[in-house]
């Protein structure tokens, strides 16, 4: 890991990892590795540049499709996707610029590359975007949020999986039928803009934010080789309130409680995209812009917080977030389940011990989609964190994890 404090001019931070081995066996699924010299190299670097520009570089290269799943199973299931890119971000200056003030605007420039031949992915050469967030509309109670981007996209398919396998007797099986590598996708120029107006309404009892907007996207090519455009209106609202009560006489030296403040925050969100002029099935799926489509959801959330005094400061020692998501078109929007339930509970029993659980449950037809239960141990010197966790993912086994 390399760090130069951000207070310094051109401050930077990042990390590097590299693994290499000479492999003569076969993987846990009895596949013969595609390469004998196997490796994984990852570099992450963040650099502060002049004019408030921040640069992020990531290089993620591995020798073959089986190396990370074989030797870093948790990383392959829950870690970041392997990506290689250079990303620049510029936030607004401290003074007004075209009437906009910091931190209401930002600009980004991204180049994303294809470096792992076995992995199919989209490249950006480049993608430029400009954001405006919550800018007051002069003379009105409205706020304006905007995102506009232009990108040059190209789909780079991965090489087919032509690995050979070993049978139970250790004999090499015949090679599978050869599958040729698909051709690269067309180079596509895409323009996308999202414009949204919010109407914040606040008083002493609640906060309500209705919003409405439109999204317009145009592609120079889509699946039939011709240009196409999409217009998608959307609307919704967010509403919340808060209740609190203090219990100053509740104390426990064993549990580290010196008075309790209970905070309850009910929230409701509704969001609908209706009548898009073109649907996601008509586009090559590069990213979330292409997959944007008709969608309807209502979410009810109840957040409970318990605060107390420890070591002369206020700490949240217990949080419980419960959420129900309702889908009117479950077959389209949530894999057939009309209701999904989510929970996230965290109990900081002592300064050294924290219990956690989070999960998602679908009413039909799957039951639990994921469920994680864990224990975090913080030594007094706080030099490291030990995590013990049981993780379950739908239709898979439970996984026990110990991670320092």
């Amino acid at each position: 890991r390399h760090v130069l404090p951000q207070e310094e001019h051109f401050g930077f931070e990042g990390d590097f990892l590299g693994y290499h081995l000479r492999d003569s066996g076969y993987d846990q699924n009895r596949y013969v590795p595609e390469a004998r010299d196997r490796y994984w190299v990852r570099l992450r670097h963040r650099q502060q540049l002049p004019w408030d520009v921040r640069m992020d570089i990531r290089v993620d290269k591995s020798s073959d499709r089986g190396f990370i799943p074989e030797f870093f199973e948790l990383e392959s299931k829950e870690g970041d996707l392997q990506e290689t890119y250079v990303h620049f971000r510029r936030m607004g200056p401290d003074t007004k610029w075209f009437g906009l003030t910091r931190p209401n605007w930002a600009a980004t420039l991204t180049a994303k590359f294809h470096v792992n031949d076995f992995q199919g992915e989209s490249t950006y050469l480049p993608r430029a975007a400009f954001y405006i967030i919550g800018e007051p509309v002069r003379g009105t109670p409205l706020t304006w949020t905007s995102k506009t981007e232009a990108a040059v996209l190209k789909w780079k398919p991965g090489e087919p999986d032509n690995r050979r396998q070993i049978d139970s007797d250790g004999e090499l099986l015949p090679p599978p039928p050869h599958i040729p590598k698909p051709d690269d996708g067309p180079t596509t120029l895409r323009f996308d803009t999202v414009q949204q107006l919010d109407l914040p309404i606040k008083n002493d009892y609640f906060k309500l934010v209705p919003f409405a907007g439109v999204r317009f996207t145009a592609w120079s090519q889509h699946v039939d080789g011709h240009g196409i455009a999409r217009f998608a209106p959307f609307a919704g609202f967010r509403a919340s309130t808060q209740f609190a009560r203090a219990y100053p006489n509740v104390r426990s030296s064993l549990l580290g409680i010196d008075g309790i403040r209970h905070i309850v925050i009910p929230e409701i969100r509704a969001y609908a995209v209706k009548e898009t002029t073109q649907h996601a099935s008509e586009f090559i799926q590069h990213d979330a812009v292409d997959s944007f489509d008709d969608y309807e959801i209502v979410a009810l959330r109840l957040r409970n917080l318990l605060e107390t005094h420890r070591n002369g400061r206020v700490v949240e020692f217990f949080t419980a977030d419960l959420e129900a998501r309702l889908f009117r078109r479950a077959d389209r929007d949530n894999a057939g389940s009309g209701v999904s339930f989510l929970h996230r509970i965290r109990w900081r029993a002592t300064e050294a011990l924290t219990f956690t659980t989070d999960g998602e449950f679908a009413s039909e037809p799957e039951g639990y989609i994921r469920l994680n239960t864990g224990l975090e141990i913080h030594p007094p010197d706080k030099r490291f964190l030990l995590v013990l966790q049981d993780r379950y993912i739908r239709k898979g086994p439970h996984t026990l994890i110990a991670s320092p």
Side-chain angles (χ1 to χ4, degrees), residues 229-246:
R230 177 189 64 200
F231 180 81
F234 61 89
F237 69 88
R238 305 182 298 274
S240 64
T241 187
Q242 179 173 308
F243 306 94
R245 184 173 179 178

Side-chain angles (χ1 to χ4, degrees), residues 117-379:
D117 293 337
F118 58 86
Q119 179 179 319
E121 61 182 330
S122 295
T123 60
Y124 301 135
L125 297 172
R127 180 177 67 176
F130 185 77
Y131 302 84
I132 299 170
I133 302 174
E135 180 68 19
V137 178
R138 189 174 303 174
T140 75
L142 300 171
T143 60
W144 170 44
T145 295
S146 169
K147 187 206 82 169
T148 300
E149 74 165 47
V152 178
L153 307 167
K154 191 177 186 67
W155 171 252
K156 305 288 286 187
E159 292 182 348
D161 188 353
N162 291 314
R163 290 177 295 174
R164 300 180 69 176
Q165 286 186 290
I166 300 291
D167 64 17
S168 57
D169 297 324
E171 298 295 329
L172 187 64
L173 294 174
H178 179 74
I179 303 173
K181 181 179 179 180
D183 295 332
D184 291 355
T187 300
T188 303
L189 175 62
R190 186 184 69 196
F191 173 82
D192 178 59
T193 183
V194 183
Q195 306 297 323
Q196 177 178 318
L197 290 175
D198 294 12
L199 178 59
I201 302 171
K202 301 180 183 179
N203 59 30
D204 293 338
Y205 305 102
F206 67 88
K207 177 180 179 181
L208 173 65
V209 184
F211 61 88
V214 295
R215 184 171 206 157
F216 175 78
T217 314
W219 295 261
S220 62
Q221 293 190 66
H222 74 119
V223 290
D224 69 358
H226 296 88
I228 193 171
R230 177 189 64 200
F231 180 81
F234 61 89
F237 69 88
R238 305 182 298 274
S240 64
T241 187
Q242 179 173 308
F243 306 94
R245 184 173 179 178
Y247 302 89
N249 296 322
V250 177
R251 292 183 172 84
S252 171
S253 57
L254 177 64
L255 298 177
I257 295 176
D258 182 12
I260 289 179
R261 183 171 183 253
H262 184 197
I263 303 170
V264 180
I265 306 173
E267 299 178 2
I268 181 171
R269 307 188 310 275
Y271 176 71
V273 183
K274 299 280 288 184
E275 305 299 333
T276 59
T277 57
Q278 307 289 341
H279 295 291
S281 59
E282 301 178 52
F283 311 116
I284 298 173
Q285 297 297 296
H286 293 285
D287 52 31
V289 173
D290 300 310
S291 62
F292 190 79
D293 208 340
D294 288 351
Y295 184 77
E296 296 169 80
I297 183 175
V298 175
L300 307 173
R301 183 185 182 195
L302 184 65
R303 190 177 189 204
N304 282 273
L305 309 175
L306 295 179
E307 298 179 340
T308 192
H309 292 90
R310 286 180 181 170
N311 301 323
R313 57 190 178 89
V314 177
V315 297
E316 290 182 2
F317 73 93
F318 182 85
T319 62
D321 288 349
L322 308 175
E323 183 172 329
R325 296 178 179 177
L326 292 75
F327 301 88
R328 192 174 73 85
R329 289 281 307 276
D331 57 331
R332 181 193 65 189
D333 299 333
N334 198 39
S337 176
V339 183
S340 291
F341 300 95
L342 295 87
H343 77 271
R344 182 178 182 275
I345 299 173
R346 184 177 182 87
W347 175 33
R348 192 173 180 180
T350 68
E351 291 297 292
L353 200 60
T354 301
F355 298 93
T356 65
T357 179
D358 64 88
E360 180 177 358
F361 182 88
S363 58
E364 292 290 342
E366 300 293 351
Y368 262 109
I369 297 173
R370 59 178 176 84
L371 178 62
N372 304 320
T373 304
L375 173 67
E376 299 177 3
I377 301 174
H378 308 255

Side-chain angles (χ1 to χ4, degrees), residues 1 351-352 377-387 403-404:
R1 181 172 177 83
E351 291 297 292
I377 301 174
H378 308 255
D381 59 8
K382 297 182 179 180
R383 296 184 63 182
F384 70 92
L385 169 66
L386 177 62
V387 178
S403 175

